[in-house]
Amino acid sequence: MDREFLIDLFAGFGPVTIRRMFSGFGISADGINFALALRSGLYLRADEASFGKFEAAGSKPFSYETRARTMTVRSYWQVPAHLFDDTDDFAMWAREAFAAAQRAALSKRTRTKRGASRSRPTAGEAKLGATKKAAKKAKPAKTRKAAKSVGKAAATGRKTRSAAASRTR
C-alpha cells in the first residue's frame, strides 16, 4: 500500500496524518494513532467494544513472528476485504477505530496520572528528608561513630547518649 492509496481510502474519514512506521505507515488523527498499514495488510485499532465486529467479518488480529513464537496484538485487527470497495463503510469502521484509540489513550493517561501521584513523598517523608538535610549541614563530628549517631538522632528527632554526654561536659 502506498501513501496515495491510503489518502484516497481515508478521504471519507477526514484528514489523517500518515507517517513511516516499521515496514509501512502509521495513520493518525488528532495525534492519536488508530491504523497501521504494513506489508501484511491494513489494520485498524480495536477494543472490547469492537472485537466481535471484526471477528464476525472474518478478520484476524495483527500478529508477527519472533524466533521463539508468534506474537498476537489484539489491539489492531486486519481490515475486512469488502471495505476496500466501499469507502463510506470503510469511513464508518475507521471512525470506530479512532474512537477505540481515543478510549485507549484516555485510559493510559488516567493510569499515568494515578501512578505519578503515588510517587510523590508524603508530608511525613518530606519532613524526614528535610531533617536529614539539616543533620548534614550541622557541625561535623570528630569521629565517624559520633557522626553516625548525630545523623540518626537528627533523623529521628531524639538525642543519643554521646550527643547528650558531649553537651553536659
Side-chain angles (χ1 to χ4, degrees):
M1 277 178 231
D2 65 346
R3 184 181 293 271
E4 296 304 317
F5 175 75
L6 293 171
I7 290 170
D8 290 341
L9 187 63
F10 283 94
F13 169 80
V16 294
T17 303
I18 301 172
R19 291 196 177 107
R20 296 284 301 154
M21 178 184 263
F22 307 122
S23 63
F25 299 100
I27 297 115
S28 61
D30 296 331
I32 299 173
N33 200 32
F34 70 98
L36 298 173
L38 305 172
R39 283 187 220 140
S40 58
L42 181 63
Y43 298 88
L44 293 174
R45 182 72 188 227
D47 60 5
E48 296 292 329
S50 57
F51 288 156
K53 185 174 182 177
F54 281 98
E55 287 174 342
S59 186
K60 298 206 183 303
F62 174 66
S63 63
Y64 61 94
E65 299 286 328
T66 66
R67 290 181 185 173
R69 61 189 171 130
T70 300
M71 301 296 294
T72 301
V73 181
R74 289 188 48 88
S75 57
Y76 284 93
W77 286 67
Q78 193 164 26
V79 173
H82 73 275
L83 294 179
F84 292 109
D85 298 329
D86 187 357
T87 56
D88 294 332
D89 200 21
F90 178 82
M92 187 174 64
W93 280 64
R95 283 187 200 94
E96 290 176 15
F98 181 66
Q102 284 178 317
R103 287 189 294 270
L106 181 63
S107 170
K108 190 178 198 179
R109 219 175 304 142
T110 56
R111 271 187 273 139
T112 303
K113 284 182 182 177
R114 273 189 261 138
S117 66
R118 289 183 185 156
S119 64
R120 291 185 196 140
T122 63
E125 291 170 338
K127 190 174 184 180
L128 181 60
T131 308
K132 286 182 179 180
K133 287 179 186 175
K136 286 182 181 179
K137 289 182 181 179
K139 291 181 184 178
K142 292 181 181 179
T143 65
R144 266 189 177 174
K145 190 172 182 180
K148 284 184 180 178
S149 65
V150 169
K152 287 180 183 176
T156 59
R158 290 186 268 149
K159 294 181 183 177
T160 61
R161 260 192 280 175
S162 60
S166 65
R167 288 188 183 151
T168 59
R169 290 182 188 173

